[in-house]
Amino acid sequence: MDLENFAPGSGRLDPRAALRSDARSFDLNGDWRFRLSPSANLPDDFADPGYDDSAWDSLPVPSHWQLHGHGSPAYTNVVYPFPVDPPHVPNENPTGDHRRTFDLPEGWTGGRLRFEGVESFARVWLNGHELGFSTGSRLPVEFDAGPWLVPGRNVLAVRVHQWSAASYLEDQDMWWLPGIFRDVSLTRSAADVFVHASYADGHGTLSFDGPGRLAIAELGIADLAPGTEITVDAEPWTAETPRLYEAVVTLPDESVRVRVGFRTISIEDGVLLANGRPLLFKGVNRHEFHPEHGRAVPYETMRADVLLMKRHNVNAVRTSHYPPHPDFLDLCDELGLWVIDECDLETHGFGEVGWRANPTDDPRWAEALLDRMRRTVERDKNHPSVIMWSLGNEAGVGRNLAVMADWTRQRDPSRPIHYEGDRSCADTDVYSRMYASHAEVEAIGQGVEEPLSDPELDARRRAMPFLQCEYAHAMGNGPGGLADYQELFERYPRLAGGFIWEWIDHGLAHPSFEYAYGGDYGEPVHDGNFVIDGLLFPDRTPSPGLLDLKKVFEPVRFEFAEQVVRVANHHGYRDLSHLGFVAVVEEEGVPVAEFPLDVPAAGGEVKLPDLPAGEGERWLTVRAVLAADQPWADAGHEVAWGQTRLSPESGESLASGVQEQARPASEAGGAGAVADSGSGATASSGSGAVAGLDFDPATGRLTRLFGIEVEGPRLDLWRAPIDNDTYGGLADRWRNLGLHRLTHRVDAIETGDGLTVRARVAPAATDLGLHVVYRWVATDGGLELTVDVEPDGDWTEPLPRLGVVMALPAAFGDVTWFGRGPGEAYPDTGMAARVGRWSATVEDLQTPYVYPQENGHRADVRWAELTSPSGGIRVTGDPVFGLTARRWTTAELEAARHRPDLKPGDRVHVNLDLAQHGVGTASCGPATLPQYELQARPVTFRLRFDPAGPSNV
């Protein structure tokens, strides 16, 4: 049967460009009649115009039927949810019959039925006549409707099968969601135009293929014939300066409009160039996704995505792993994003069976693969934003890749070809990898990577630019190591940057779980929360990872010296004239002065005015903001910022010219930071109270602090594992050590002028442990706590965290702190966190990861006040500490599987950390870099506690 046919379709018209035409068009979106059947063995009688569908349900088109109460979604990353036996599919094959009745406008003759996207196999009837079938879910298809249209009432019937032979080509790490999920129309347009617009040496070159005559009024072009090449005085198109010209191509039966951008993509000496200048991708991978609509993404949401990308300094998109809705590419043209346009192809599941019978290397599939590539190129060939074609993703290697690449080069030699799955790069123009470690990326940048066995292919690949088509897996809390990657990309010209995996969490809206992931619909085969791996939460709220990415991708950088700031322009294609620069001085996080900076368009050194003196810790922050409204953001939008500390440290004076930059957590209070050693407290009487605190004399545990009920503080090593800990295997190693179930043995309690508690903290079933000494001393109306930690045994694994944990009454729900914020920061993340004074409720301190895990750590905190309506506690670091505060324990956070599982208790649980282990990107990629690991070694850290006033948040 057709479902198990290698052929991509029948009865279809040749693919053509997506064009804006003045020809008549009829929108067939809206409410259709719908019936779902459990198998594909059905009669075709429903296609008869007289068929009675009154008992059927109503279903909106575009949509996925599973998101409207018909069946359930299923998620897999790699494996197929059916037996790998190509081209066969299961008998259990959900089949959706769709019917749409429409009245033909008066005077209408001829036309094409156009489907922008149907998953995965569609048979189409018009007025009872079968027009044909098509596969290639995320690609358009057209059928000639003219001979079968009738005046007045017409009936369109479409049968959609979830599974077909084509499903073997669409294993793209996403929800399996069948349906007519893109637009359907009847159009009189039949035009196909290919505009060629290049740019070099300060001018543009223009020609086009196709019938008709081309005009661009703005350039004085009135009647350009096909095949004629002319030189024009045009401005170039880049992602930073997306200059478009409106072209009109007039044909006998219609006129079409094409937005033309003049740009040239080339490769010279292993460097990727746009308009002759190096091109560095600061990119993201983008699946099409909406939590209510799946891949049926509304236009407003597409536009919101592009605006968010632009506002977070993203300059490029890889359309993983299929061509997006054509409107998305229009937005990329208009607002400015470089695009790698990927073919609708992935056969990843064949890797689970040793790539046996992989379609990429089976000549029976050659027509289907070429068909998909051809439809991709033909549809999107006029978009200036599309600067590279990708053959697909994770489809192994094989002869059919060459078929696709050879045709593409012949059809469009102006764009390089990308494909990651074949490391020999035999069919590509760029060398692309996924999740290469920092060390490997550096080796490739230096040109000293491991050679290929074939010297000719090796030499060819070494002459190619390198990009990471996926890196820094943005799953849960993370990704870490972003700044380290970016430094490499900018250091070596061969490195063309890369694309974060990925843009958005694919959490489907769910009445019980808030957002669902794999397994939440009872799927027997699934990949759990691996689909929750984006820089945006499902509701499109930016995650801390996206805020960090904005900072890492900043197109302006600041360096500070005495009385000057050096401003460096890191744009590739424009100067700084569109930006304004503002400086502010803060003391203890409170602004004391603000003034503009006059920065030259090319950047450079700017002298600072005399800055106000003060006694507290002072910081200078310089911000680059949009000077005027841009199409993607309003005036005042912050593009970049930098900070430097003004107040002297460690006896240094400002006259020395040595000033402290705002540092990542790894350098200031993060992993590896150790405070100076201190002396112990003196001992005297044996009462159960020291000024400001009450404790149990039998255990040494505090019961009250300044009259407030408390539990702890005591040593804490555990964190609720983040996705990178879990998928990277580190969490299992920690659990094997028993770090999640520590025992606390008190060896001695000494009282005198203070309280000293000596303890050993250790997990069961091992001889590893930590000797801990807590020393409390009352001073100046407050209390100082010194904690000495001495490892016992041979610790070979890093620690999750090192600090103390305590609990306060639930009323202590407001937090104000002076340190880095406003968001979370870990040793290898938190680039977006700047030093300041911040306030939040305990609820607002939580980062709402779809899959609950360690979150909300505020770094480099000088002091924090945790307050209630009746009073509070102030904690001061010596010099800094890390802070988290939650209404649930770490154990409760670890046990939760969805956000609603977390129920506020009757305590606020507060972690005061010396350090945490970095987060890395090991859910898919390298583990935490060595410099961000937290190793067990002797440390001492100090905290001071004082009473504080009531809440004022």
Side-chain angles (χ1 to χ4, degrees):
M1 62 184 299
D2 287 341
L3 287 177
E4 297 181 344
N5 195 327
F6 291 101
S10 67
R12 306 172 306 166
L13 297 171
D14 286 339
R16 62 192 183 99
L19 298 166
R20 291 175 293 161
S21 172
D22 64 0
R24 298 182 76 180
S25 183
F26 189 72
D27 183 0
L28 292 173
N29 292 342
D31 289 334
W32 290 44
R33 306 300 291 169
F34 177 77
R35 175 186 66 185
L36 180 64
S37 302
S39 72
N41 297 317
L42 300 167
D44 297 342
D45 56 346
F46 85 108
D48 187 281
Y51 184 88
D52 182 7
D53 60 16
S54 59
W56 289 18
D57 292 322
S58 178
L59 182 74
V61 170
S63 75
H64 304 280
W65 66 66
Q66 292 165 317
L67 302 185
H68 291 267
H70 304 281
S72 298
Y75 165 65
T76 62
N77 169 28
V78 176
V79 299
Y80 291 103
F82 47 80
V84 182
D85 183 23
H88 305 296
V89 296
N91 292 331
E92 299 79 14
N93 190 352
T95 297
D97 288 332
H98 304 67
R99 281 171 54 92
R100 172 74 153 87
T101 299
F102 62 95
D103 291 326
L104 198 65
E106 189 173 347
W108 186 292
T109 59
R112 297 169 172 229
L113 274 171
R114 183 176 178 92
F115 296 83
E116 295 293 346
V118 185
E119 183 175 333
S120 73
F121 182 105
R123 291 177 66 194
V124 180
W125 292 262
L126 179 61
N127 294 325
H129 178 81
E130 184 172 354
L131 301 182
F133 77 89
S134 187
T135 61
S137 299
R138 284 149 285 275
L139 290 160
V141 60
E142 291 183 325
F143 298 97
D144 185 4
W148 315 108
L149 289 168
V150 297
R153 180 179 182 270
N154 287 260
V155 177
L156 175 60
V158 183
R159 173 163 286 168
V160 180
H161 302 286
Q162 176 161 7
W163 307 125
S164 67
S167 300
Y168 287 100
L169 307 180
E170 297 177 359
D171 186 26
Q172 286 129 320
D173 184 10
M174 58 188 181
W175 292 99
W176 295 92
L177 291 171
I180 306 173
F181 69 97
R182 287 186 186 162
D183 306 287
V184 184
S185 62
L186 176 65
T187 178
R188 291 287 307 277
S189 176
D192 188 20
V193 171
F194 191 176
V195 175
H196 309 279
S198 59
Y199 185 87
D201 301 324
H203 61 263
T205 302
L206 178 70
S207 66
F208 81 101
D209 300 332
R213 291 290 192 271
L214 181 145
I216 303 179
E218 187 177 357
L219 295 177
I221 302 170
D223 188 27
L224 183 65
T228 302
E229 184 174 280
I230 60 172
T231 299
V232 293
D233 185 14
E235 300 174 42
W237 188 98
T238 73
E240 296 170 2
T241 57
R243 183 67 162 93
L244 294 171
Y245 295 88
E246 188 85 2
V248 178
V249 180
T250 303
L251 299 90
D253 297 323
E254 62 179 306
S255 293
V256 297
R257 295 181 178 274
V258 182
R259 292 191 297 184
V260 176
F262 292 86
R263 55 104 187 99
T264 295
I265 307 301
S266 59
I267 296 169
E268 296 180 15
D269 299 324
V271 178
L272 182 66
L273 305 175
N275 303 332
R277 303 182 67 173
L279 171 54
L280 184 65
F281 292 127
K282 300 176 180 179
V284 295
N285 286 276
R286 176 188 176 269
H287 266 297
E288 292 187 306
F289 183 77
H290 187 284
E292 282 89 30
H293 308 301
R295 285 186 286 281
V297 180
Y299 176 82
E300 295 76 16
T301 302
M302 297 183 218
R303 185 173 182 85
D305 276 350
V306 176
L307 293 177
L308 276 169
M309 291 175 189
K310 295 288 292 185
R311 292 168 185 169
H312 288 85
N313 296 326
V314 171
N315 73 0
V317 177
R318 174 174 171 238
T319 68
S320 53
H321 298 291
Y322 43 82
H325 192 288
D327 286 348
F328 181 79
L329 296 180
D330 286 338
L331 289 164
C332 294
D333 294 341
E334 171 191 335
L335 296 170
L337 289 170
W338 309 106
V339 175
I340 295 182
D341 196 358
E342 195 146 84
C343 184
D344 189 8
L345 172 63
E346 181 167 336
T347 65
H348 203 170
F350 282 88
E352 301 296 294
V353 296
W355 296 105
R356 292 185 298 275
N358 183 21
T360 307
D361 197 37
D362 185 337
R364 294 176 297 173
W365 293 93
E367 180 188 358
L369 270 62
L370 178 57
D371 173 78
R372 289 168 182 251
M373 195 68 207
R374 185 182 174 207
R375 287 157 68 190
T376 299
V377 172
E378 296 294 359
R379 192 196 74 170
D380 297 340
K381 59 197 173 191
N382 290 311
H383 289 284
S385 60
V386 175
I387 52 88
M388 201 175 293
W389 302 116
S390 178
L391 303 180
N393 181 70
E394 293 176 322
V397 297
R399 67 196 82 180
N400 293 334
L401 293 174
V403 173
M404 299 165 72
D406 290 346
W407 179 90
T408 303
R409 284 196 180 89
Q410 183 276 327
R411 181 61 173 141
D412 179 25
S414 72
R415 293 176 172 101
I417 292 176
H418 168 274
Y419 179 67
E420 179 273 338
D422 181 1
R423 293 195 183 182
S424 77
C425 299
D427 302 302
T428 68
D429 302 304
V430 295
Y431 178 22
S432 177
R433 287 287 305 282
M434 293 182 182
Y435 307 107
S437 69
H438 298 78
E440 186 177 5
V441 169
E442 181 164 26
I444 294 169
Q446 295 171 338
V448 296
E449 70 268 27
E450 193 73 23
L452 294 168
S453 58
D454 184 321
E456 185 176 344
L457 282 176
D458 184 65
R460 182 174 177 273
R461 194 181 74 177
R462 289 179 189 276
M464 293 178 177
F466 173 81
L467 62 92
Q468 286 252 59
C469 67
E470 295 180 21
Y471 78 108
H473 197 246
M475 187 176 185
N477 186 339
L482 286 173
D484 307 86
Y485 273 121
Q486 193 65 24
E487 190 277 328
L488 294 171
F489 295 155
E490 295 179 6
R491 191 194 316 169
Y492 298 105
R494 184 189 181 190
L495 304 182
F499 299 81
I500 305 296
W501 186 267
E502 67 155 312
W503 178 238
I504 188 169
D505 288 343
H506 297 196
L508 289 171
H510 192 283
S512 300
F513 304 138
E514 187 173 354
Y515 294 112
Y517 48 77
D520 285 340
Y521 296 97
E523 311 99 294
V525 177
H526 64 84
D527 284 298
N529 69 314
F530 211 73
V531 76
I532 307 297
D533 53 3
L535 294 162
L536 294 179
F537 298 128
D539 64 357
R540 284 180 160 74
T541 300
S543 74
L546 181 57
L547 301 180
D548 277 358
L549 194 70
K550 177 184 178 181
K551 179 65 178 168
V552 170
F553 282 174
E554 281 179 343
V556 183
R557 305 280 172 78
F558 303 95
E559 294 181 356
F560 298 90
E562 187 174 5
Q563 294 300 312
V564 299
V565 55
R566 300 185 183 96
V567 183
N569 180 19
H570 283 254
H571 291 90
Y573 306 91
R574 71 184 313 179
D575 61 23
L576 302 179
S577 58
H578 64 297
L579 299 175
F581 294 83
V582 181
V584 62
V585 177
E586 294 175 312
E587 183 170 342
E588 296 292 315
V590 177
V592 296
E594 184 171 338
F595 49 91
L597 293 178
D598 186 12
V599 176
E605 191 168 281
V606 179
K607 183 172 175 50
L608 296 170
D610 291 335
L611 302 177
E615 296 182 358
E617 184 176 328
R618 290 176 301 125
W619 285 79
L620 170 68
T621 304
V622 178
R623 302 168 59 239
V625 301
L626 291 180
D629 291 349
Q630 297 289 324
W632 48 271
D634 294 338
H637 167 78
E638 184 178 276
V639 173
W641 61 272
Q643 269 192 329
T644 189
R645 184 168 177 170
L646 297 175
S647 49
E649 282 193 300
S650 304
E652 296 170 349
S653 68
L654 287 176
S656 71
V658 179
Q659 297 175 323
E660 178 189 4
Q661 299 271 354
R663 297 172 296 172
S666 60
E667 299 175 20
V674 181
D676 294 335
S677 291
S679 60
T682 58
S684 60
S685 68
S687 73
V690 173
L693 64 81
D694 298 292
F695 62 93
D696 182 342
T699 65
R701 291 188 179 180
L702 269 60
T703 57
R704 288 182 178 273
L705 188 61
F706 310 123
I708 300 166
E709 290 186 7
V710 299
E711 298 171 17
R714 66 176 184 172
L715 192 72
D716 191 23
L717 304 181
W718 186 245
R719 71 184 185 194
I722 64 172
D723 289 318
N724 291 329
D725 298 337
T726 299
Y727 284 91
L730 185 56
D732 284 341
R733 305 205 305 271
W734 284 340
R735 286 194 181 93
N736 289 339
L737 280 177
L739 299 186
H740 61 307
R741 47 173 174 79
L742 296 176
T743 61
H744 297 255
R745 186 189 73 211
V746 176
D747 293 331
I749 301 172
E750 304 165 7
T751 58
D753 293 339
L755 169 67
T756 299
V757 179
R758 303 181 186 277
R760 188 176 189 271
V761 178
T766 177
D767 60 356
L768 298 178
L770 297 164
H771 294 293
V772 188
V773 181
Y774 308 91
R775 294 185 176 90
W776 289 93
V777 178
T779 175
D780 299 328
L783 290 160
E784 290 184 356
L785 171 64
T786 302
V787 182
D788 292 304
V789 180
E790 181 78 30
D792 183 12
D794 184 16
W795 287 82
T796 58
E797 295 288 354
L799 302 176
R801 76 180 334 136
L802 181 62
V804 294
V805 61
M806 60 188 295
L808 300 173
F812 286 73
D814 296 317
V815 184
T816 298
W817 74 99
F818 176 41
R820 290 174 58 213
E824 70 182 25
Y826 290 81
D828 49 352
T829 70
M831 285 70 69
R834 66 188 82 180
V835 176
R837 184 179 299 201
W838 315 99
S839 294
T841 65
V842 169
E843 287 74 18
D844 290 338
L845 290 177
Q846 314 313 305
T847 303
Y849 294 113
V850 171
Y851 190 95
Q853 56 198 275
E854 162 64 32
N855 72 89
H857 177 268
R858 268 57 180 183
D860 296 344
V861 177
R862 280 73 166 157
W863 57 258
E865 292 183 351
L866 298 103
T867 56
S868 72
S870 59
I873 294 175
R874 181 183 177 103
V875 185
T876 304
D878 183 10
V880 295
F881 62 95
L883 171 70
T884 59
R886 306 186 178 105
R887 294 196 180 275
W888 35 79
T889 65
T890 297
E892 290 167 337
L893 179 60
E894 181 179 0
R897 294 295 176 263
H898 298 87
R899 293 178 187 173
D901 294 341
L902 293 168
K903 308 294 185 184
D906 60 358
R907 295 286 188 273
V908 171
H909 302 272
V910 181
N911 281 90
L912 308 171
D913 289 335
L914 172 68
Q916 280 216 23
H917 187 71
V919 303
T921 180
S923 57
C924 194
T928 302
L929 289 169
Q931 60 265 37
Y932 305 121
E933 292 181 345
L934 175 57
Q935 299 295 339
R937 63 175 183 268
V939 295
T940 295
F941 60 102
R942 294 193 189 93
L943 298 167
R944 179 184 171 90
F945 297 81
D946 291 280
S951 298
N952 58 7
V953 175

